[in-house]
Amino acid sequence: DIQMTQSPPSLTASIGDRVTITCRAGQSISSYLHWYQQKPGKAPKLLIYAASTLQRGVPSRFSGSGSGTDFTLTITSLQPEDFASYYCQQSYSPPLTFGQGTKVEVK
Amino acid sequence: EVQLLESGGDLGQPGGSLRLSCAASGFTFSSFAMNWVRQAPGKGLEWVSSITSSGSIIFYAESVRGRFTISRDNSKSTLFLQMNSLRADDTAVYYCARGLGGNLGRNWFDPWGQGTLVTVSS
């Protein structure tokens, strides 16, 4: 199985801050890396697929980068609605695996 | 609007069975792979199973293989998860999600249903 490791597990930030979340794969996964946002009590929502492609309707302050084993999700100017948990997921090979999540909290 | 609506979550006995359903609308269900993903209380996301659009290819997580069966009825735009030999660690919210991105093992998930809670306890 391909292990996905996110860092940090949690972070505190203020409105307007630039936030960066990292996801590392246990082996090269090319660009088969996707990011989701989940708010408490709600289903996950796709933000970015194939490492860097923004899902339709997702604000442009979200961006993704990376390939191989190291990937980054960046929020350029944190908004109130962005306080949530974020998960990466690899689809290079089954079993499809997720990172353990990063919780973004208010400072 | 693309929608997925799960049902069937309940309190189940250890060793017992439950059947989850996911009703799809707003898209051509028979053209897409479908998936189940679960989330234990306070924990992260765990992929459970995937099925191709025709139902001809199926993948399972090791944790459920031999106990859970995924299936679909394209005539009714409905996805199923038959859960047998339930264990306490199957307790979770179960989400169905449409698969995107080509081959079954290469899927990402969008959209997701609202989830249905399965609790396994005596």
Side-chain angles (χ1 to χ4, degrees), chain B residues 88-109:
Chain B
D89 62 0
D90 294 321
T91 295
V93 174
Y94 285 73
Y95 296 101
C96 67
R98 185 175 64 173
L100 300 176
N103 294 338
L104 188 65
R106 292 282 168 94
N107 278 185
W108 57 90
F109 309 122

Side-chain angles (χ1 to χ4, degrees), chain A residues 13-78:
Chain A
S14 300
I15 302 300
D17 282 355
R18 180 185 182 93
V19 169
T20 299
I21 298 168
T22 296
C23 181
R24 175 164 290 176
Q27 66 179 73
S28 177
I29 57 170
S30 184
S31 294
Y32 292 96
L33 189 283
H34 323 292
W35 291 98
Y36 302 87
Q37 177 193 66
Q38 187 180 32
K39 297 180 180 179
K42 300 294 186 182
K45 172 189 170 185
L46 178 68
L47 296 176
I48 288 168
Y49 61 93
S52 60
T53 303
L54 199 65
Q55 172 68 353
R56 192 177 310 166
V58 174
S60 58
R61 63 180 179 273
F62 290 92
S63 65
S65 64
S67 66
T69 60
D70 294 319
F71 301 86
T72 300
L73 173 70
T74 300
I75 311 171
T76 52
S77 177
L78 198 66

Side-chain angles (χ1 to χ4, degrees), chain B residues 28-39:
Chain B
T28 305
F29 180 74
S30 60
S31 296
F32 289 88
M34 294 296 296
N35 306 269
W36 289 99
V37 178
R38 68 185 181 183
Q39 186 170 36

Side-chain angles (χ1 to χ4, degrees), chain A residues 79-94:
Chain A
Q79 298 301 301
E81 60 269 29
D82 301 336
F83 292 99
S85 293
Y86 294 84
Y87 294 89
C88 61
Q89 176 235 328
Q90 67 83 18
S91 65
Y92 182 77
S93 69

